[in-house]
Amino acid sequence: MTAPDAGRGIGRESAAEITTTFVGLPRDSFRILHVSTGNVCRSPITERLTRHFVTERLGVLGGGLIVESAGTWGHEGAPMEANAEAVLAEFGADASGFTGRELLDEHVIMADLVLTATRDHRAQVISMGHSAGLRTFTLKEFTRLVRAIDPATLPPLEDGVVARARALVRAAAALRGWLLAPTAEADEVYDPYGAPLTFFRSVGDEIHEALDPVVTALTGVPARA
C-alpha cells in the first residue's frame, strides 16, 4: 500500500498540547505500538500475534503490558484485511474487534516501544519528534538486537514485565550502532496488501519468526515446543 501523502495524520495537535494531556500518566504500564502503512495488514497481524504469544507464555496478557497498532496512512475505523484475519486464525490468534487507526502524536508519546514494518515507517515515527528515536525500531531490527542481549542482564520476571521490557529497550538502543543489518532489505517486512493468501502467509511467518525472540526476551519464557 503506497501512501500518497506520508505526512497525513501526523502532527494534528501541537506537541505541547499533547504532552500536557499525558503528563502524570502512571508508569506502571508498558505500551508496544506496531506501525505499518494502512493498519489493515502488517501491523494488525503483528499486534494480535504479540498479544497471542505473550498470553501463551504467561497465561494472560497483563502485568501492565499493552499492545496496540496504527498506520502512517491509517484507514481509520477500517476492518482488518480478510487475508490477515485468516493468517491470524491459522496461528490461533484472535482477530476479533479490530479497527484501523491513523497514527497520531498521542500514540507515539504514550508508546514505550514502537516497532515498525519498514525503515520508512521508522523514519516517519522519528520525524514526529517526542524523543521517539531511542524507542523506535523496525521489528526485524529489534529482533536482531534482542538476540544479542544476554537474558541474564535483564530484570527477572518476578520484578514485573514492565521493568523487564524497559530494560530490554534500553539495552537494544545501546546496541543499535554496533549491530547493523547485513542488507538494507533485512529490516523490512513487505506489504501484502492486495496479494493472495499465500503471500500473506509468508508475511505472517516472517512476523512470527521476528516476534518469537522478542516475546521470549520480554517474558523470560521460551515458546513451547
Side-chain angles (χ1 to χ4, degrees):
M1 180 179 296
T2 302
D5 179 5
R8 179 171 171 262
I10 295 176
R12 283 184 176 174
E13 303 174 64
S14 74
E17 288 173 336
I18 297 172
T19 301
T20 300
T21 302
F22 295 106
V23 162
L25 276 175
R27 294 296 294 162
D28 57 353
S29 64
F30 186 92
R31 288 179 179 266
I32 301 173
L33 176 66
H34 293 291
V35 174
S36 62
T37 303
N39 194 216
V40 292
C41 298
R42 288 167 291 182
S43 51
I45 291 173
T46 316
E47 173 198 320
R48 293 306 176 92
L49 282 183
T50 303
R51 294 183 185 184
H52 178 66
F53 295 149
V54 170
T55 302
E56 276 190 329
R57 286 160 168 79
L58 299 182
V60 64
L61 178 63
L65 189 64
I66 301 166
V67 185
E68 303 171 312
S69 64
T72 56
W73 186 50
H75 291 192
E76 188 74 31
M80 191 185 308
E81 282 289 298
N83 282 344
E85 289 190 1
V87 167
L88 287 171
E90 290 173 0
F91 281 110
D94 182 14
S96 65
F98 180 86
T99 55
R101 300 194 307 173
E102 188 173 9
L103 182 66
L104 300 176
D105 291 86
E106 63 194 73
H107 302 144
V108 176
I109 288 171
M110 295 180 71
D112 298 284
L113 171 62
V114 184
L115 296 176
T116 69
T118 69
R119 292 167 298 155
D120 283 346
H121 296 132
R122 182 185 64 194
Q124 288 181 57
V125 171
I126 293 172
S127 74
M128 295 170 71
H130 316 307
S131 303
L134 290 177
R135 49 195 168 91
T136 302
F137 310 79
T138 73
L139 171 61
K140 289 186 174 180
E141 173 192 23
F142 194 67
T143 300
R144 183 175 66 254
L145 298 171
V146 163
R147 288 184 186 276
I149 296 168
D150 182 355
T153 64
L154 300 173
L157 191 57
E158 289 75 13
D159 290 353
V161 69
V162 170
R164 188 177 177 92
R166 290 186 188 147
L168 185 66
V169 172
R170 289 193 299 269
L175 285 173
R176 195 198 309 254
W178 297 93
L179 292 175
L180 302 179
T183 66
E185 292 73 26
D187 284 343
E188 307 282 290
V189 176
Y190 291 106
D191 194 350
Y193 184 73
L197 179 58
T198 51
F199 189 73
F200 269 82
R201 283 179 175 140
S202 69
V203 169
D205 288 341
E206 278 187 69
I207 291 171
H208 173 279
E209 184 178 350
L211 277 177
D212 181 67
V214 171
V215 175
T216 297
L218 277 173
T219 62
V221 181
R224 286 176 287 185

